[in-house]
Amino acid sequence: MTARHKPPEDYDENPALDADFFARARPAAPGEAARLRAVLKRIVEAHEEGRSLDEEIATARDALSGVE
């Protein structure tokens, strides 16, 4: 697995759940939650089996980029 860059100093990893947050929120598309659960499951299984996570994380990135 490759190292991640540090986030900017002003990055908030726990943003407030305010009106702005909910204005951008949307319900999951049909099948979206199942697709995301599947890629997460593959990452967890790879980790438990001691395999490289790079391929599974790349698959997850592809799935997430289709969601945004």
Side-chain angles (χ1 to χ4, degrees):
M1 198 156 85
T2 56
R4 291 176 31 187
H5 297 287
K6 283 187 131 184
E9 287 289 327
D10 61 345
Y11 178 75
D12 183 5
E13 64 184 46
N14 294 310
L17 301 179
D18 57 9
D20 185 48
F21 172 85
F22 287 104
R24 294 187 321 264
R26 61 170 180 67
E32 183 177 26
R35 186 174 66 251
L36 297 176
R37 272 194 305 274
V39 295
L40 179 58
K41 181 179 177 186
R42 289 177 57 177
I43 291 170
V44 171
E45 287 172 350
H47 173 71
E48 288 174 346
E49 295 170 5
R51 294 185 282 123
S52 171
L53 301 180
D54 291 336
E55 183 178 330
E56 301 305 335
I57 290 173
T59 301
R61 281 191 182 118
D62 290 344
L64 290 171
S65 67
V67 169
E68 295 177 347

